[in-house]
Amino acid sequence: MKMLKMCMHPKVIAAMVAVAAGVWLVAPGWFAAALPILFLAICPLSMVVMMKMMMPGDAAKEDTADDSSEESLRERLRQLESQQAAVSEQLRTHRQPQG
């Protein structure tokens, strides 16, 4: 039971239930044939979803990065420097003795 639980991601199960309901509404005659296929597809699709969730967020961006992204990186650096200055100011005012 524990092994089966690891293989089923809740989002994939919800999607499969939605697809099964759609098949039942659109083509009720195909429902009996589609149900076993949908059930068998839950495990591999869950594994794909879990692999995507475990990938770092920047890994996908690195694949699509090119020379035109230099300006966006510079803008991001400016934003981070601005945030750092704001946090430094907050820290300085927090450290001042109150009185």
Side-chain angles (χ1 to χ4, degrees), residues 85-96:
V87 169
S88 295
E89 181 61 30
Q90 288 177 351
L91 186 59
R92 194 170 334 139
T93 59
H94 182 70
R95 285 185 180 165
Q96 291 177 352

Side-chain angles (χ1 to χ4, degrees), residues 35-47:
L35 199 58
I37 295 168
L38 292 173
F39 184 73
L40 290 175
I42 288 175
C43 190
L45 290 175
S46 292
M47 293 300 152

Side-chain angles (χ1 to χ4, degrees), residues 4-97:
L4 188 62
K5 197 177 205 181
M6 287 177 24
C7 191
M8 296 185 180
H9 193 274
K11 290 181 181 179
V12 174
I13 293 172
M16 289 299 171
V17 168
V19 169
V23 169
W24 182 62
L25 290 172
V26 174
W30 291 5
F31 182 73
L35 199 58
I37 295 168
L38 292 173
F39 184 73
L40 290 175
I42 288 175
C43 190
L45 290 175
S46 292
M47 293 300 152
V48 170
V49 169
M50 285 187 239
M51 284 177 19
K52 291 286 186 185
M53 289 174 51
M54 292 174 67
M55 287 180 63
D58 294 329
K61 293 178 187 174
E62 289 176 0
D63 293 341
T64 59
D66 56 15
D67 294 334
S68 66
S69 66
E70 182 177 348
E71 185 58 37
S72 64
L73 290 173
R74 290 186 189 281
E75 178 60 30
R76 178 73 176 137
L77 179 61
R78 279 189 227 97
Q79 290 174 352
L80 290 173
E81 288 171 343
S82 173
Q83 289 176 351
Q84 180 183 10
V87 169
S88 295
E89 181 61 30
Q90 288 177 351
L91 186 59
R92 194 170 334 139
T93 59
H94 182 70
R95 285 185 180 165
Q96 291 177 352

